[in-house]
Each structure stands twice: as C-alpha cells, then as structure tokens.
C-alpha cells in the first residue's frame, strides 16, 4: 500500500528493541544529504525484509509540530534491509557519533512506522519470485540436499553448495538448487583480480568488517561442474546455471575450466541458459566462453563512470574499458547482457551518473539493468572512494523512469532471466505464484 503521509521515525534501545518516536517523522538520505521522502515513495516493508539498529548513530527526523529537522535522542538509529526484488530509494538518515563502529556489509534503507506497520521507500523492480522467503520449504531442501549428496558423493562443488552455501550462508540460489528449480549457482574461482572495498568474500585483515562468506578454497574440474549442472538443466523449471557467486573470487580467472564445462554441458543438453556473473575484466576470455556456448553475462558495477568504478573496484591489470568491452562481446554473439548495478542514492541518481549510464547503454546495447541494493556502510563507502561532494541528483525513481522512457528495450529486474524469458514473453515467462 502506498502511504499518503510520512511515517514516524524508528529508534532502538540498543538491546534489539525498536520503538516509534511520534514526535518525529522519518526522512531519508541521498549522498551526504538528509531530505524528506516523497509520500508516494513509501511502501510496506516487504516480506523477508529485516530491521537493523545502528549503534553509535542518532536518527534524523522532521519535528511533527515545527517541521524542523532534528536528531532523535531517545536511542540508536534504525534502518531496513529490504529483500531481493525491491530497490531502495533512500538510505537511512542519521548522524554518527565519534567512535561509531563500522556497519557490516548489508544495505541500510530508510524505515518508518505507520498504522502499526513498518514502511520503506522502495519499488519492486522484479516480478520473478525465485527468492521470496515464503517459497522455501526446509524439508524439501534437506531431502533434496541428501539426495544430491548421495547422487554425487565425490563432487566437491555439490558438497560446498550443501555445507557452506545452503546450510551455513542460507544462500537463496543454493536452496533453489536443492529444491530442483530455477537458478543453480556454480562457484569456481578461489582468486580475484579486483580488490573491491566492500568485497563480500574477502576482507583484508586490517579492515574492521568481516566478509559475509568465505571464499571457495579449491578449483573445481570441468567434470565436477558438468556432473550436477546437466541434470539440473534437463529437469528444473525455468533452468539456468550461473557461474560467479558471492562465495568466490572472479570466475573469468577460471575461463579455461568454465569453457570446457560449457562445451561439455551443451553436448548433453540444449536446455536452459548458461550465465556468468562477473567483474567483466577479461573480454578475450568472455569471447572464448561465448564461442563455447555462454548465453548471458551479468557484469557487476557500482558506477558507469570510470573514476568512480576504479576507486571502488581497485582493479589489478584491467580497467573500466575492459568491462564495457566484455558487455559488447556478448552482444556481438547475440547474448543477453545485464549490469548488476549497485544502487546508492545520491551517487547512482546523480546527473553525472545518469549521463554516464545513458552512454553505457548506447555503447553496449545493454539488455537489462539489475537495480541492486548496495550492501555497504554508506559513510565508509563514500569516504573510501573519496566522494565528499555528490553534486546534483534526480532521485532513483526518476532515474529509472527517465532511462525507461529513453530506452524502453532495456529490461529491469533483480535476477538473471531464464532462457524462456529472454526468448519468450519477458512479462510472463518466469517463476511466479
Ligand atoms: S570482483 Fe567480486 S570477488 Fe572480486 S573483489 Fe570484487 S566483490 Fe570481491
């Protein structure tokens, strides 16, 4: 339901209890600015969302009587982690006290309280329900897991997907694999040629935040990859297999292995889509994979601007131009190309970024934008990439509307589409209730 007035600000007592402050309306943050959120942008916190207390931080709100902006002194600030398929439009607005601890690698969207419900400024960009928490059944996951571990007793990858991805990290993609449906994750690379500030699989010892999952420790063989992916492509609804997962480094560093696996997979089945999630650093390797039978690519980026990209990715021996070239290569092979676009209000919707994004879409004939929430401490991110000024911004929702108006062929979403959706009816051919 869309709200017709601002919700009240939320605060926590530091013990995990959250309260509303009815003397303050909650507002949002974009870049370094705290600003009111347009009423029409608030939606109920979707199922699967969660709330965080932000230690050492005071929420900023609008006094319900005077309209003045002021801090909530009653407790710590609160933010929302919104579930996949939704994109946050404003960050949580707060002021950090000296010594406030670094926030872990999650997204921190504004949140408020109204009529006994939590609200967030967000839009649903993806209708595919593959990661909706009500769709998971623990019993069928565990029975699927046992069955597949028995079917592939010597397969290190299936064991990694079972023990680490499914049972430790509760990875939605791994859980779908063990339920025999949709997207199957295929991690393959223990190493990476980038040094992202907010890497979720590796954080240097001198950084104060942990990686959210440990990186793969072995190099799978083509045989190990083929063994469990072919049956998945042959039997799963809307099947796709995706190289490049959160629990590994950069899959393009394993392109020879992946290429051999793709060729072998396609000897056994034409079904489904074979995708790679990547930093796009090696266009020549991407070309070799297209030759082998790769169907789609998703290149991750925090920006369509070279200097903003390189300040965050800190690439080893590659540059922003390489990731652009990788997108072009896949289009030359008539493949599907997406950007995994880390949305940061104030940066993503700055006028400079908007112009750069328009250029990227034109130069690469991009197929899709996956508008992903950026899982990172906002102050830390901006400080690390040296962004102390964000310039003029247009609003994330307006940015989405402007891009859609100019490039109606570019699809929006949150997940890699199956072959049925790419070649069929984009509006209907995917997983839904
Ligand atoms: S490209 Fe991926 S694995 Fe490599 S540093 Fe960045 S987030 Fe980490």
């Amino acid at each position: 339901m869309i709200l017709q007035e601002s919700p009240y600000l939320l605060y926590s007592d530091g013990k995990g209890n959250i309260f509303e402050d009815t003397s303050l309306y909650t507002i949002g943050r974009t870049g370094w600015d705290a600003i009111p959120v347009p009423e029409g942008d608030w939606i109920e916190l979707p199922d699967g969302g969660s709330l965080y207390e932000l230690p050492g931080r005071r929420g900023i709100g609008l006094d319900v009587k005077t309209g003045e902006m002021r801090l909530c002194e009653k407790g710590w600030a609160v933010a929302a982690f919104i579930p996949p398929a939704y994109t946050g439009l404003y960050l949580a607005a707060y002021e950090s006290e000296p010594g406030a601890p670094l926030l872990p690698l999650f997204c921190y969207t504004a949140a408020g309280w109204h009529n006994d419900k939590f609200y967030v400024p967000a839009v649903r960009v993806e209708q595919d329900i593959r990661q909706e928490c009500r769709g998971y059944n623990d019993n069928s996951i565990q029975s699927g897991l046992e069955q597949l571990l028995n079917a592939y007793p010597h397969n290190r990858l299936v064991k990694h997907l079972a023990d680490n991805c499914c049972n430790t990290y509760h990875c939605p993609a791994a859980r779908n694999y063990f339920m025999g449906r949709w997207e199957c994750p295929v991690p393959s690379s223990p190493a990476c040629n980038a040094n992202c500030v907010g890497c979720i699989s590796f954080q240097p010892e001198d950084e104060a935040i942990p990686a959210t999952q440990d990186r793969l420790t072995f190099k799978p063989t083509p045989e190990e990859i083929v063994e469990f992916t072919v049956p998945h492509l042959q039997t799963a609804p809307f099947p796709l297999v995706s190289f490049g997962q959160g629990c590994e480094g950069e899959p393009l560093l394993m392109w020879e292995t992946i290429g051999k696996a793709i060729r072998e997979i396609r000897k056994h089945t034409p079904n489904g889509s074979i995708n790679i999630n990547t930093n796009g650093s090696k266009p020549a390797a991407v070309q070799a994979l297209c030759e082998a039978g790769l169907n789609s690519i998703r290149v991750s980026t925090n920006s369509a601007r070279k200097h903003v990209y390189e300040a965050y990715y800190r690439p080893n021996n590659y540059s922003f131009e390489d990731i652009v070239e990788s997108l072009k290569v896949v289009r030359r092979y008539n493949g599907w190309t997406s950007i995994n676009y880390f949305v940061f209000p104030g940066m993503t919707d700055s006028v400079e970024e908007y112009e750069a994004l328009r250029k990227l879409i034109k130069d690469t004939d991009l197929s899709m934008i996956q508008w992903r929430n950026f899982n990172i401490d906002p102050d830390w991110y901006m400080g690390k990439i040296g962004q102390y000024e964000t310039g003029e911004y247009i609003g994330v929702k307006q940015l989405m509307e402007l891009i859609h108006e100019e490039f109606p062929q570019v699809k929006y979403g949150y997940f890699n589409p199956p072959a049925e959706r790419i070649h069929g009816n984009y509006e209907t051919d995917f997983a839904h209730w």
Side-chain angles (χ1 to χ4, degrees), residues 191-196 198-202 215 245 248-250 278-279 312-313 318:
C192 189
N193 58 352
N195 306 285
C196 297
C199 178
I200 56 175
S201 66
F202 176 77
R215 219 174 249 181
Q245 298 296 325
E248 64 173 304
E250 173 46 43
T278 170
N279 64 19
Y312 176 76
Y313 274 75
Y318 79 92

Side-chain angles (χ1 to χ4, degrees), residues 378-414:
D379 297 347
W380 186 58
Y381 171 61
M382 300 286 270
K384 280 278 186 180
I385 64 169
Q387 284 287 329
Y388 300 104
E389 280 295 320
T390 47
E392 224 192 315
Y393 42 80
I394 51 182
V396 173
K397 209 171 175 181
Q398 289 72 11
L399 171 71
M400 289 176 171
E401 286 159 5
L402 283 169
I403 293 289
H404 180 62
E405 224 170 276
E406 184 176 0
F407 307 103
Q409 79 285 4
V410 175
K411 302 299 181 191
Y412 287 1
Y414 213 88

